[in-house]
Amino acid sequence: MKGPDDEAPVLSAYRRGDWQPSLDTAPLPGATRARLALVPHIVAHSDRRWWDGIRADLPPLSGRRELVLSALELFRHGTVTIGGIGPQSADAFRAALWESAGLPGPLVERWGAMLYEGAARRETVAPDDALALVALPGNTFTCLDSVLEQAERSACVWVRPSRREPLSAARLLAALLAVGWPPARLGLYPTEQHTLHGLLKLTDRHVVYGGSGLAASVRDSPALALHGPGRGCALVPPGTGAGFAGAAGAAGAAGAADPLDRVDPLDRVDSVDDMVAWLLPLIAADSGRFCSNVRTVVCVDHDPEPLAKALAAALDALHPGPAPDPADPRWPLTAFRDPAEADRAAASVRDRLRPGDHLLTREPTVVTGTGVGTRTGGDVYVRPQLALLRGDPAAPSHPLIGHEVPFPFAAVLGATADAARALADEALFVYRPPATPGGAP
């Protein structure tokens, strides 16, 4: 007798130029009972030999940029056919991401636009003969930009999607195929976590996204571009007038400017409201899911408490729902399809608090939405959190500094100028206030 899962769709892998089923599957999040076909290492190993056998006979692929942009138009607005799922419209894609990954509609639209804009601006490069691997995260599909970059640059690209959210990667491959990308030059390889290391050995160039644990485990690959934690940091000096016109940048890079070298002690102190207006989108945009989101706010040589309290109140005012489109599309929150995951994410902040620290956000942390459009049983959210950290401003050290979670969170602390420089050196993304209130950082 067939069980209910026997009738559930199974998202196929894409191998050897075709959508392929698998005896190995894993459940997708959400209530649809959909499953994901997994590719064992021995199969991927055989596919590498297949690729080596056919690569020399493939005709050159020209017009890659035009194909990419056409595919992104389909990805965002069209209907594509995905193995195991069938035809999928843009509305169906949006609904599927809400159901399985809790991504609200405005985020899906924003991230799709970001993909298109990034591809249109990217500098073109001459393709080489490499077989590339892109291992994607589950927090945002904007990292599909790396898939497109490698598709333009490489002879073939294999995509290892996140098991938490493989739908966007499958849709992008389907869109590329629909506009005429050669099937043999693409692959979709969902795998178990331990199989990633085998894929690294099978491919020539690798782009890997992941947290600190994954970053440490794959760091020794010589052809690896690793995108790990961003540890986004915002520096708030005592004066932020015209002498401190700021821009986001990578800290610690060769030749990088001192993040505080343009502070003029005679400049006026911007109002707390101006600082909150500047910081709020850096913390809360994109549901706090980007590695570039600010996680640490450093008040340089001044008391952090006034700013921390005002920023906590602003974060408390951000409400989820009604789902799947929030009332304020500028700051949508994502829903957690696994309530236990929501509890763990929220607890990861509380458990790292030390004596003297204060969690200043007052709204309940884990909430269930029950408005119009919510699923049966409600949608689970983790609301934004902000912690005020207390410690030695000359030598700040705390487990919540740079702590990354899949919801808006920031730790606010005070630090001396030298300590702030040290914190900035540990961050991949460093932000400074704009020259004028409301200006670009």
Side-chain angles (χ1 to χ4, degrees), residues 50-411:
W50 173 82
W51 165 250
D52 289 338
I54 63 113
R55 173 172 49 187
D57 297 328
L58 291 175
L61 176 58
S62 59
R64 297 191 186 205
R65 174 59 53 83
E66 291 76 13
L67 289 174
V68 161
L69 295 179
S70 296
L72 283 173
E73 282 295 324
L74 265 181
F75 177 87
R76 296 170 62 198
H77 307 300
T79 296
V80 299
T81 301
I82 301 172
I85 294 178
Q88 183 192 67
S89 68
D91 286 343
F93 174 56
R94 174 170 157 151
L97 285 184
W98 169 247
E99 179 62 34
S100 66
L103 295 180
L107 274 192
V108 177
E109 293 177 1
R110 168 175 160 81
W111 292 355
M114 290 173 68
L115 276 177
Y116 188 92
E117 292 163 5
R121 291 196 307 263
R122 184 168 42 245
E123 185 176 340
T124 57
V125 296
D128 58 25
D129 203 34
L131 170 58
L133 170 72
V134 180
L136 295 166
N139 57 314
T140 170
F141 66 74
T142 55
C143 298
L144 290 171
D145 183 67
S146 291
V147 174
L148 298 169
E149 180 184 19
Q150 291 303 317
E152 290 190 21
R153 176 185 178 188
S154 311
C156 177
V157 58
W158 287 4
V159 182
R160 180 187 180 271
S162 165
R163 285 172 53 177
R164 287 185 292 148
E165 198 286 278
L167 301 175
S168 57
R171 181 173 173 84
L172 180 62
L173 256 69
L176 286 167
L177 292 168
V179 299
W181 204 277
R185 293 184 181 273
L186 295 172
L188 184 69
Y189 283 76
T191 70
E192 300 280 4
Q193 180 63 45
H194 62 81
T195 308
L196 172 59
H197 297 272
L199 291 178
L200 291 174
K201 295 177 181 178
L202 291 174
T203 49
D204 306 319
R205 182 166 51 237
H206 334 291
V207 180
V208 177
Y209 291 84
S212 55
L214 176 61
S217 69
V218 301
R219 196 180 301 277
D220 59 352
S221 177
L224 173 68
L226 179 64
H227 298 269
R231 298 178 64 86
C233 175
L235 302 174
V236 183
T240 57
F244 197 75
D258 186 323
L260 300 177
D261 64 1
R262 284 182 281 180
V263 175
D264 184 345
L266 299 180
D267 281 342
R268 63 180 175 81
V269 177
D270 283 66
S271 73
V272 168
D273 288 345
D274 288 340
M275 288 296 97
V276 168
W278 169 60
L279 287 166
L280 189 61
L282 295 177
I283 297 169
D286 301 297
S287 198
R289 290 193 162 212
F290 282 9
C291 62
S292 56
N293 280 109
V294 164
R295 306 295 180 179
T296 309
V297 178
V298 184
C299 295
V300 185
D301 288 332
H302 63 101
D303 181 9
E305 186 168 345
L307 176 59
K309 287 182 174 179
L311 190 53
L315 290 170
D316 272 338
L318 303 182
H319 289 274
D325 296 317
D328 187 342
R330 295 176 303 168
W331 322 118
L333 297 177
T334 53
F336 284 73
R337 292 304 175 226
D338 180 358
E341 182 186 356
D343 291 332
R344 287 192 298 270
S348 74
V349 172
R350 295 193 304 271
D351 294 346
R352 287 169 169 80
L353 292 171
R354 292 176 173 176
D357 299 337
H358 297 283
L359 197 60
L360 295 184
T361 37
R362 301 301 184 189
E363 292 288 329
T365 304
V366 179
V367 297
T368 300
T370 57
V372 175
T374 57
R375 306 184 324 158
T376 301
D379 296 308
V380 177
Y381 299 88
V382 179
R383 292 183 47 75
Q385 295 189 64
L386 183 137
L388 175 62
L389 310 184
R390 294 299 189 184
D392 182 1
S397 175
H398 198 287
L400 284 176
I401 293 176
H403 181 55
E404 295 195 357
V405 286
F407 61 88
F409 164 74

